[in-house]
Amino acid sequence: MTHPASPLSLGPDQARTRLQEFTVIDVRTPAEYASGHLPGALNIPLDHVRRALPEIRHAAERGDVLVVCASGARSENACKLLAEEGIATATLAGGTGAWAAEGHDLHTPAACETRSAWSMERQVRFTVGTLVLLGLALGLLVHPALLLISAAMAGGLVFSALTNTCGMAVVLGKLPHNRPRAADLDAALSVLRTR
């Protein structure tokens, strides 16, 4: 079995100079997308990429596709998934974080300009930290066996680092504020069909 090659990775300046040539797909959650995205980016969260394969394939047949996320990890995973399906894409090295750090504009939908959203990384850090503290408090105040909550969180962090996956992000991605509304996803797929 052959494995697809690593996706082409473009730095923010490289991507900016060619931005008009790309169909840009942002694989972050809708809340993250709403907090700021590359100009013209379409939001197709990572867990919906398989559903969007026909539309992404259609767009890729007509031009280059750039996949972005917050740091580059989810977009690289999306690019690998798409490569397995025979769809060539590029990823933005460092994601929207690197894009903004180099002084490039991020756009926000008009309806979301006053809404603040936490990145998935921040949501994961908050949740894991809360569960570690809760496990420590319950272990000291209720029963020592409850310290296993903290141990499980530590084990999950190690597993996450070793596999470059994040189960907590998958779970948090299913919360209502992180889920795309059907109309938003359908609109993004419709735009891809017309590319």
Side-chain angles (χ1 to χ4, degrees), residues 120 123-129 131 153 156-157 160 165-175 178:
M120 184 55 68
Q123 291 179 56
V124 168
R125 288 193 322 255
F126 177 79
T127 303
V128 170
L131 290 173
M153 291 298 104
L157 289 172
S160 177
T165 61
C166 186
M168 181 70 72
V170 171
V171 172
L172 293 173
K174 299 197 180 300
L175 293 175
N178 284 327

Side-chain angles (χ1 to χ4, degrees), residues 35-75:
S35 69
H37 56 270
L38 269 67
L42 300 170
N43 186 217
I44 301 177
L46 183 58
D47 59 343
H48 289 274
V49 168
R50 284 198 189 280
R51 174 181 168 198
L53 281 173
E55 290 84 357
I56 296 171
R57 183 181 315 279
H58 177 81
E61 288 169 354
R62 282 156 181 69
D64 294 331
V65 174
L66 179 67
V67 183
V68 302
C69 67
S71 66
R74 283 178 280 176
S75 61

Side-chain angles (χ1 to χ4, degrees), residues 138-161:
L138 291 175
L140 293 172
L141 300 173
V142 178
H143 192 278
L146 293 172
L147 289 170
L148 291 174
I149 295 170
S150 298
M153 291 298 104
L157 289 172
V158 170
F159 179 79
S160 177

Side-chain angles (χ1 to χ4, degrees), residues 95-117:
T96 56
W99 179 271
E102 294 210 8
H104 306 310
D105 287 339
L106 291 174
H107 290 194
T108 55
C112 300
E113 287 175 354
T114 59
R115 177 180 166 199
S116 69

